[in-house]
Amino acid sequence: MNKTQQLRELPSVDEVLHFDAIQDLALSCPRQSLVGWVRQAIDSQRQLILSEESGTRPSHEAIVEMILAQADLNQRESLQHVINATGIMLHTNLGRAPLAARAIQRVRQASAFSNVELDLDSGKRSKRGFRVTKLLQELTGAEAALVVNNCAAATMLVLQTMASGKEVVISRGQLVEIGGGFRLPNVFSAAGVKLCEIGTTNRTHVHDYEAAIGEETAAIMRVHHSNFAQIGFVTEPTIAELISSKRPESVPVIDDVGSGCVGDLSQYGIEEPDVIASVAAGADVTLFSGDKLFGGPQAGIIVGREHWIRRMSKNPLMRAIRVDKMTLAALEATTEIHLAGNATQELPLMQMLSKPLAEIQSSCQQVVQSLRKTSSATVSVVSSESQVGGGSVPGVGVSSHAIKIQTDHADQLCQFLRSGRPAVQGRITDGAVLLDLRTVADEEINLLTGRINDSLAELESGHAQ
Ligand SMILES: *Cc1c(COP(=O)(O)O)cnc(C)c1O
């Protein structure tokens, strides 16, 4: 067959689009992209024919393969399961807290039509989030609760509702940047609230707050340091001290506790401000994230005095930052778990935190033994330090174990680990790849072993050539 004949045998774009394999793809890929990949694939076969002396026949299989490879690259961008072997339990890049099985089930139930704003008894319209706010009140002991998109949105809503056009007194040591460029002073200005900074970076006293209160003062605010720690010559009042400070009755105390710790985690070396303690101490408004230590979906939770929460719920901003039915469903289930005292059994975050060191070590050994059977790579079990992450408990490590893979091509190995299904995210320390198993669920261990094996094989074949 000569080149002209071969070129004539190439399928048309339309023909390729009708191949079975490509029709399947059409269900998940945008048509425009798909047509583009088909054109590219046909064109590359055309180039091949024109360049080859020997005359290889154009093949439909080669065209399909090229298109599938493109589609696969494209799919990489879509949200998918990632095995978190970083040792960071609340990894913001990996979506912070994984949801409890019960929460996932409830999201599934709510994701079709659901009674998000319907009272099933009366058939009348009901308040969105009615049940979850009731549960949150019960859990925290607060008079009222409100749920918004995240804690940043909660901060915005609280400041704008309680202090717009006026001043809020805050310690210089608490003017934090939370990550992703979220800086507290900018939130104040966006909410139209004047900052009244007091104290110094390292030391602020109750009398600093008392001296700063004046005509313009709308509130006192305490903000948890979140992602940094101060040591040495430092002091700042506790929330209880702030609440008992001398101030007019009209000046409320706002407490941004951030990480949303409910209950005592000191047995894990975690000392974070507690939501329930903040409410009990008498904070007028307490706010925190749903997806940090609370172990639920992304959300900003505001609890406190009924009259403040009511004003917030009527703020027009509320409509822009309200949550959807899936978030409500997940948060309901997560709050129920806390209320039932089942956090350690049911919340993945708590399971990671409480996993015994010996269990992690034996999982590591099991994986390493299995890898040694199939790969010549230098693998071992080393001690490691996990972290809570997600802007909470800075500087506090939790003892763990990791699988260490010694290689001259750590970056490339990590890339192979990320590029398969499920993707695996590890870390590189001193040139070796470390996979910390505290953050890997038991049911993921076999998958992980398979993925490490495949990635090592890929690496070895690449460097054998
Ligand atoms: C994390 C954090 C926030 C921001 O919470 P998001 O839910 O990520 O918006 C605000 N304040 C404090 C103290 C935090 O720790």
Side-chain angles (χ1 to χ4, degrees), residues 205-220:
H205 305 275
V206 173
H207 60 75
D208 292 322
Y209 288 87
E210 290 171 345
I213 292 171
E215 291 279 289
E216 284 299 293
T217 309
I220 288 178

PDB file of all heavy atoms in Angstrom, residues 205-220:
ATOM      1  N   HIS A 205      -2.174  42.577  78.420  1.00  0.00           N
ATOM      2  CA  HIS A 205      -2.779  42.347  79.742  1.00  0.00           C
ATOM      3  C   HIS A 205      -4.245  42.769  79.740  1.00  0.00           C
ATOM      4  O   HIS A 205      -4.676  43.539  78.883  1.00  0.00           O
ATOM      5  CB  HIS A 205      -2.024  43.149  80.797  1.00  0.00           C
ATOM      6  CG  HIS A 205      -0.556  42.861  80.806  1.00  0.00           C
ATOM      7  ND1 HIS A 205      -0.005  41.815  81.492  1.00  0.00           N
ATOM      8  CD2 HIS A 205       0.476  43.466  80.157  1.00  0.00           C
ATOM      9  CE1 HIS A 205       1.306  41.789  81.295  1.00  0.00           C
ATOM     10  NE2 HIS A 205       1.619  42.784  80.470  1.00  0.00           N
ATOM     11  N   VAL A 206      -4.966  42.289  80.743  1.00  0.00           N
ATOM     12  CA  VAL A 206      -6.373  42.668  80.883  1.00  0.00           C
ATOM     13  C   VAL A 206      -6.507  44.194  80.947  1.00  0.00           C
ATOM     14  O   VAL A 206      -7.386  44.779  80.320  1.00  0.00           O
ATOM     15  CB  VAL A 206      -6.990  42.018  82.139  1.00  0.00           C
ATOM     16  CG1 VAL A 206      -8.399  42.550  82.367  1.00  0.00           C
ATOM     17  CG2 VAL A 206      -7.065  40.503  81.974  1.00  0.00           C
ATOM     18  N   HIS A 207      -5.569  44.859  81.678  1.00  0.00           N
ATOM     19  CA  HIS A 207      -5.714  46.320  81.802  1.00  0.00           C
ATOM     20  C   HIS A 207      -5.521  47.040  80.470  1.00  0.00           C
ATOM     21  O   HIS A 207      -6.022  48.136  80.280  1.00  0.00           O
ATOM     22  CB  HIS A 207      -4.801  46.888  82.919  1.00  0.00           C
ATOM     23  CG  HIS A 207      -3.346  46.644  82.705  1.00  0.00           C
ATOM     24  ND1 HIS A 207      -2.604  47.337  81.794  1.00  0.00           N
ATOM     25  CD2 HIS A 207      -2.493  45.749  83.290  1.00  0.00           C
ATOM     26  CE1 HIS A 207      -1.346  46.908  81.816  1.00  0.00           C
ATOM     27  NE2 HIS A 207      -1.260  45.931  82.723  1.00  0.00           N
ATOM     28  N   ASP A 208      -4.814  46.395  79.513  1.00  0.00           N
ATOM     29  CA  ASP A 208      -4.702  46.996  78.173  1.00  0.00           C
ATOM     30  C   ASP A 208      -6.084  47.055  77.506  1.00  0.00           C
ATOM     31  O   ASP A 208      -6.421  48.038  76.848  1.00  0.00           O
ATOM     32  CB  ASP A 208      -3.758  46.176  77.282  1.00  0.00           C
ATOM     33  CG  ASP A 208      -2.310  46.245  77.765  1.00  0.00           C
ATOM     34  OD1 ASP A 208      -1.888  47.329  78.210  1.00  0.00           O
ATOM     35  OD2 ASP A 208      -1.616  45.207  77.694  1.00  0.00           O
ATOM     36  N   TYR A 209      -6.845  45.977  77.671  1.00  0.00           N
ATOM     37  CA  TYR A 209      -8.203  45.947  77.095  1.00  0.00           C
ATOM     38  C   TYR A 209      -9.065  47.007  77.770  1.00  0.00           C
ATOM     39  O   TYR A 209      -9.730  47.800  77.107  1.00  0.00           O
ATOM     40  CB  TYR A 209      -8.856  44.562  77.299  1.00  0.00           C
ATOM     41  CG  TYR A 209      -8.283  43.466  76.430  1.00  0.00           C
ATOM     42  CD1 TYR A 209      -7.164  42.737  76.833  1.00  0.00           C
ATOM     43  CD2 TYR A 209      -8.868  43.156  75.203  1.00  0.00           C
ATOM     44  CE1 TYR A 209      -6.639  41.728  76.041  1.00  0.00           C
ATOM     45  CE2 TYR A 209      -8.349  42.139  74.400  1.00  0.00           C
ATOM     46  CZ  TYR A 209      -7.233  41.430  74.827  1.00  0.00           C
ATOM     47  OH  TYR A 209      -6.722  40.432  74.041  1.00  0.00           O
ATOM     48  N   GLU A 210      -8.995  47.017  79.111  1.00  0.00           N
ATOM     49  CA  GLU A 210      -9.847  47.931  79.873  1.00  0.00           C
ATOM     50  C   GLU A 210      -9.551  49.382  79.503  1.00  0.00           C
ATOM     51  O   GLU A 210     -10.467  50.186  79.331  1.00  0.00           O
ATOM     52  CB  GLU A 210      -9.668  47.692  81.377  1.00  0.00           C
ATOM     53  CG  GLU A 210     -10.279  46.349  81.792  1.00  0.00           C
ATOM     54  CD  GLU A 210      -9.949  45.928  83.227  1.00  0.00           C
ATOM     55  OE1 GLU A 210      -9.025  46.514  83.831  1.00  0.00           O
ATOM     56  OE2 GLU A 210     -10.623  44.994  83.730  1.00  0.00           O
ATOM     57  N   ALA A 211      -8.248  49.697  79.321  1.00  0.00           N
ATOM     58  CA  ALA A 211      -7.872  51.085  79.011  1.00  0.00           C
ATOM     59  C   ALA A 211      -8.310  51.492  77.611  1.00  0.00           C
ATOM     60  O   ALA A 211      -8.508  52.675  77.328  1.00  0.00           O
ATOM     61  CB  ALA A 211      -6.360  51.245  79.154  1.00  0.00           C
ATOM     62  N   ALA A 212      -8.454  50.488  76.717  1.00  0.00           N
ATOM     63  CA  ALA A 212      -8.758  50.821  75.316  1.00  0.00           C
ATOM     64  C   ALA A 212     -10.252  51.021  75.054  1.00  0.00           C
ATOM     65  O   ALA A 212     -10.638  51.571  74.031  1.00  0.00           O
ATOM     66  CB  ALA A 212      -8.230  49.714  74.410  1.00  0.00           C
ATOM     67  N   ILE A 213     -11.081  50.549  75.975  1.00  0.00           N
ATOM     68  CA  ILE A 213     -12.529  50.628  75.737  1.00  0.00           C
ATOM     69  C   ILE A 213     -13.023  52.068  75.846  1.00  0.00           C
ATOM     70  O   ILE A 213     -12.720  52.768  76.810  1.00  0.00           O
ATOM     71  CB  ILE A 213     -13.286  49.707  76.726  1.00  0.00           C
ATOM     72  CG1 ILE A 213     -12.972  48.245  76.392  1.00  0.00           C
ATOM     73  CG2 ILE A 213     -14.791  49.947  76.651  1.00  0.00           C
ATOM     74  CD1 ILE A 213     -13.482  47.259  77.402  1.00  0.00           C
ATOM     75  N   GLY A 214     -13.738  52.489  74.813  1.00  0.00           N
ATOM     76  CA  GLY A 214     -14.269  53.859  74.807  1.00  0.00           C
ATOM     77  C   GLY A 214     -15.605  53.917  74.093  1.00  0.00           C
ATOM     78  O   GLY A 214     -16.237  52.881  73.863  1.00  0.00           O
ATOM     79  N   GLU A 215     -15.999  55.124  73.730  1.00  0.00           N
ATOM     80  CA  GLU A 215     -17.275  55.389  73.057  1.00  0.00           C
ATOM     81  C   GLU A 215     -17.460  54.525  71.797  1.00  0.00           C
ATOM     82  O   GLU A 215     -18.542  54.050  71.505  1.00  0.00           O
ATOM     83  CB  GLU A 215     -17.294  56.865  72.591  1.00  0.00           C
ATOM     84  CG  GLU A 215     -17.378  57.867  73.713  1.00  0.00           C
ATOM     85  CD  GLU A 215     -18.811  58.007  74.194  1.00  0.00           C
ATOM     86  OE1 GLU A 215     -19.602  58.575  73.439  1.00  0.00           O
ATOM     87  OE2 GLU A 215     -19.124  57.521  75.299  1.00  0.00           O
ATOM     88  N   GLU A 216     -16.328  54.370  71.070  1.00  0.00           N
ATOM     89  CA  GLU A 216     -16.392  53.728  69.754  1.00  0.00           C
ATOM     90  C   GLU A 216     -16.321  52.202  69.822  1.00  0.00           C
ATOM     91  O   GLU A 216     -16.429  51.521  68.807  1.00  0.00           O
ATOM     92  CB  GLU A 216     -15.229  54.239  68.897  1.00  0.00           C
ATOM     93  CG  GLU A 216     -15.421  55.638  68.360  1.00  0.00           C
ATOM     94  CD  GLU A 216     -16.655  55.695  67.468  1.00  0.00           C
ATOM     95  OE1 GLU A 216     -16.639  55.071  66.399  1.00  0.00           O
ATOM     96  OE2 GLU A 216     -17.645  56.359  67.869  1.00  0.00           O
ATOM     97  N   THR A 217     -16.077  51.660  71.006  1.00  0.00           N
ATOM     98  CA  THR A 217     -15.848  50.220  71.120  1.00  0.00           C
ATOM     99  C   THR A 217     -17.136  49.416  70.953  1.00  0.00           C
ATOM    100  O   THR A 217     -18.097  49.616  71.690  1.00  0.00           O
ATOM    101  CB  THR A 217     -15.227  49.872  72.495  1.00  0.00           C
ATOM    102  OG1 THR A 217     -14.107  50.715  72.709  1.00  0.00           O
ATOM    103  CG2 THR A 217     -14.806  48.413  72.541  1.00  0.00           C
ATOM    104  N   ALA A 218     -17.122  48.506  69.964  1.00  0.00           N
ATOM    105  CA  ALA A 218     -18.291  47.646  69.770  1.00  0.00           C
ATOM    106  C   ALA A 218     -18.105  46.291  70.425  1.00  0.00           C
ATOM    107  O   ALA A 218     -19.072  45.650  70.825  1.00  0.00           O
ATOM    108  CB  ALA A 218     -18.558  47.464  68.276  1.00  0.00           C
ATOM    109  N   ALA A 219     -16.859  45.829  70.508  1.00  0.00           N
ATOM    110  CA  ALA A 219     -16.603  44.502  71.081  1.00  0.00           C
ATOM    111  C   ALA A 219     -15.122  44.321  71.385  1.00  0.00           C
ATOM    112  O   ALA A 219     -14.270  45.075  70.909  1.00  0.00           O
ATOM    113  CB  ALA A 219     -17.046  43.417  70.099  1.00  0.00           C
ATOM    114  N   ILE A 220     -14.853  43.282  72.196  1.00  0.00           N
ATOM    115  CA  ILE A 220     -13.490  42.809  72.422  1.00  0.00           C
ATOM    116  C   ILE A 220     -13.393  41.476  71.687  1.00  0.00           C
ATOM    117  O   ILE A 220     -14.337  40.694  71.712  1.00  0.00           O
ATOM    118  CB  ILE A 220     -13.257  42.524  73.924  1.00  0.00           C
ATOM    119  CG1 ILE A 220     -13.174  43.813  74.716  1.00  0.00           C
ATOM    120  CG2 ILE A 220     -12.012  41.686  74.139  1.00  0.00           C
ATOM    121  CD1 ILE A 220     -12.988  43.549  76.222  1.00  0.00           C
TER     122      ILE A 220
END
